[in-house]
Amino acid sequence: MSYFQSIEKIKYEGPSSRNPYAFKFYNPEEKIGGRTMEEFLRFGVAYWHTFTEDLSDPFGIGTAIRPWDKFNGMDLAKARVEAAFEFFEKLGVPYFCFHDVDIAPEGRTLRESNQNLDIIVAMIKDYMKDSKTKLLWNTVNNFSHPRFVHGAASSNHADVFAYAAAKVKKGLEIGKELGAENYVFWGGREGYETLINTDMKLELDNLGRFFHMAVDYAKEIGFDAQFLIEPKPKEPTSHQYDFDVASGYAFLQHYDLQDYFKFNIEANHATLAGHTFEHELRYARVNGMLGSVDANQGHPLLGWDTDEFPSDLYTTTLAMYEIIKNGGLGRGGLNFDAKVRRGSFTPEDLFHAHIVGMDSFAVGLKVAQKLIDDHVLEDFIAERYSSFHEGIGLDIVEGKVDFHKLEAYALGLTDIKHTSGRLELLKATMNQYLLRAYAGE
Ligand SMILES: [Mn+2]
């Protein structure tokens, strides 16, 4: 049975195509910087937003029309797997990602939930045999159910800590079974609302213990996925322990976990933290901690996590600049943790949404590679920091001076000459490169 009968396989037709069901910029076979777009971009479909999401929001019920919604319970879960693999095939996407509860309904007990998972995981494994689409990462949802009202690994209740551990244990087993390349930990409710009822030190220590147990269990079962922390500063709690990359990195170092984890960086979470997407990518990259990306964008006028499909080419260009400079994402990828708007409720909209996301990152890749090939930013930045390439600057970088020597040097200074940062010139140059990519130059 087909769930997307009217839609053919999406092909690359080039920038001048008017076919809404075609890629204009994403050409999987086109080589950029020595790698094909498909190899470099490693796109993933988020199971929850595409097959489970009903498009409800805090003000209204779901609007999504999904051909599989005529089913219920485990039949619905099975129909979603069929729909998912048809979607992956038609979109030509190399990866997908899921939480445990996206693929199978929770049972009345943990044992029953695990049995439901076993049935669906076996079905997914079967579909994966005939599919090119692989599992980029899986995770477990330790935040939606009321048992997680006060958190999971950072809950005040030890029984919840144990329950959360049992779910992650199962998640790691599923990841191994399906060959996941990464395993993600998003904090969910790992944070707090107010300090007046919170033992912060115990919660942080427990989180550290929890992650060590996960590392140990993955080793025990021979699951060699890259572990990823996904920072988010707020929502659902007012204070999340994994606020951003910098605080997450400090946490990992404090609990001696930095060798086992990298970061899965989401664009909308970066903006919620008061950062740009590229800031988070850069901070992770320069510390050797960039693992994977949740490719989406927030709404510039709304202060919450809207998870829109990426369409802002300026941002995708700066993001791909960081990813190219990182030498790619390794085992990571660009997972569309993005949902169609509540008003875009038809099955066709799922294709349009992924097409704009994939095309936007393809443009970003092309423009960023051209900027790098032409040394546009590198030459400017090298010149801007040239005072550290010789003389006193080189002595500073090489650790040859102390405050005594620097004071002696500073006392001899008469006039410090600055050069312009040329922000507007560089922005104009960025625009020039973006527009040349449109023109196919
Ligand atoms: Mn989000």
Side-chain angles (χ1 to χ4, degrees):
M1 123 141 232
S2 170
Y3 292 94
F4 306 101
Q5 217 153 11
S6 62
I7 292 160
E8 310 273 310
K9 190 164 168 58
I10 310 297
K11 296 196 183 96
Y12 170 72
E13 291 186 4
S16 58
S17 168
R18 293 288 176 270
N19 176 3
Y21 295 101
F23 297 117
K24 318 303 184 296
F25 302 98
Y26 176 64
N27 180 4
E29 284 135 43
E30 186 178 338
K31 280 202 168 174
I32 306 285
R35 267 185 277 198
T36 67
M37 282 196 183
E38 187 173 26
E39 286 164 346
F40 206 99
L41 294 166
R42 297 167 62 86
F43 289 124
V45 172
Y47 206 95
W48 54 102
H49 283 315
T50 302
F51 308 109
T52 315
E53 170 81 45
D54 68 358
L55 302 181
S56 56
D57 71 13
F59 308 96
I61 61 169
T63 57
I65 298 167
R66 301 290 180 253
W68 49 89
D69 277 348
K70 60 189 172 195
F71 298 105
N72 283 301
M74 285 297 281
D75 290 338
L76 173 58
K78 288 173 188 172
R80 282 183 179 135
V81 175
E82 292 172 8
F85 279 88
E86 183 185 347
F87 187 81
F88 302 154
E89 163 67 23
K90 288 189 168 167
L91 194 62
V93 75
Y95 290 102
F96 70 114
C97 305
F98 64 79
H99 307 73
D100 52 355
V101 304
D102 306 330
I103 60 166
E106 281 203 80
R108 280 161 301 171
T109 62
L110 180 62
R111 192 166 275 113
E112 200 178 298
S113 296
N114 286 347
Q115 285 163 357
N116 290 348
L117 281 167
D118 288 340
I119 293 166
I120 301 301
V121 167
M123 184 176 172
I124 288 175
K125 193 174 181 182
D126 214 37
Y127 270 78
M128 285 175 78
K129 279 182 200 146
D130 301 318
S131 170
K132 278 171 65 185
T133 306
K134 293 178 284 192
L135 186 56
L136 185 63
W137 52 260
N138 67 308
T139 183
V140 299
N141 177 327
N142 278 353
F143 45 90
S144 291
H145 192 280
R147 79 175 70 85
F148 299 118
V149 62
H150 297 311
S154 67
S155 172
N156 59 302
H157 202 315
D159 288 358
V160 177
F161 186 99
Y163 204 104
K167 287 192 75 196
V168 171
K169 178 177 177 287
K170 184 71 177 168
L172 296 171
E173 290 161 9
I174 291 170
K176 180 175 160 63
E177 179 73 8
L178 297 178
E181 301 200 22
N182 306 269
Y183 186 89
V184 166
F185 294 85
W186 170 55
R189 292 181 195 276
E190 311 293 25
Y192 67 92
E193 300 299 333
T194 168
L195 284 175
I196 61 178
N197 70 0
T198 298
D199 185 341
M200 183 193 270
K201 178 74 166 65
L202 177 66
E203 292 197 359
L204 287 168
D205 288 349
N206 279 349
L207 261 182
R209 290 183 186 103
F210 193 93
F211 287 136
H212 272 290
M213 287 185 227
V215 168
D216 290 346
Y217 189 66
K219 275 188 196 162
E220 185 186 324
I221 62 172
F223 179 38
D224 67 348
Q226 172 65 54
F227 276 14
L228 301 168
I229 297 265
E230 181 177 325
K232 185 178 181 183
K234 51 191 172 187
E235 292 186 322
T237 67
S238 38
H239 301 269
Q240 297 276 135
Y241 290 133
D242 50 1
F243 187 95
D244 60 1
V245 173
S247 61
Y249 190 39
F251 173 90
L252 291 174
Q253 290 179 97
H254 179 73
Y255 289 97
D256 203 20
L257 289 158
Q258 69 277 7
D259 295 340
Y260 307 110
F261 286 80
K262 287 185 176 178
F263 288 97
N264 180 43
I265 295 169
E266 174 173 330
N268 205 165
H269 294 180
T271 49
L272 285 178
H275 299 307
T276 58
F277 185 22
E278 57 273 20
H279 165 90
E280 289 290 82
L281 294 168
R282 175 72 64 94
Y283 202 96
R285 170 168 80 81
V286 299
N287 286 293
M289 296 297 281
L290 174 53
S292 197
V293 168
D294 266 10
N296 65 13
Q297 65 184 37
H299 192 288
L301 304 181
L302 301 175
W304 66 87
D305 194 14
T306 56
D307 286 338
E308 297 183 18
F309 272 85
S311 60
D312 178 346
L313 302 177
Y314 205 89
T315 300
T316 59
T317 297
L318 291 175
M320 286 313 302
Y321 180 88
E322 297 303 325
I323 293 167
I324 295 168
K325 286 282 182 179
N326 196 57
L329 287 169
R331 308 179 76 170
L334 296 168
N335 166 52
F336 291 113
D337 183 6
K339 58 185 170 190
V340 289
R341 298 302 84 199
R342 191 165 180 266
S344 304
F345 44 73
T346 75
E348 291 78 15
D349 289 308
L350 296 173
F351 282 92
H352 298 314
H354 283 86
I355 288 169
V356 71
M358 292 163 81
D359 270 343
S360 297
F361 269 92
V363 171
L365 170 60
K366 289 178 91 159
V367 177
Q369 186 66 54
K370 187 92 177 91
L371 281 165
I372 290 168
D373 289 345
D374 293 354
H375 302 275
V376 174
L377 304 181
E378 286 75 6
D379 285 352
F380 182 81
I381 290 170
E383 177 59 29
R384 188 159 182 252
Y385 290 85
S386 59
S387 67
F388 284 96
H389 301 164
E390 59 187 5
I392 190 75
L394 189 59
D395 288 347
I396 292 169
V397 170
E398 291 183 343
K400 288 181 180 164
V401 291
D402 58 14
F403 271 13
H404 296 288
K405 286 181 183 158
L406 289 170
E407 184 194 43
Y409 178 84
L411 287 169
L413 289 171
T414 46
D415 188 21
I416 295 175
K417 284 201 180 67
H418 272 301
T419 53
S420 168
R422 301 275 186 247
L423 289 119
E424 294 80 4
L425 171 65
L426 291 169
K427 286 183 179 179
T429 309
M430 289 281 300
N431 284 351
Q432 198 180 358
Y433 272 75
L434 270 161
L435 291 166
R436 280 167 56 186
Y438 283 131
E441 285 177 41

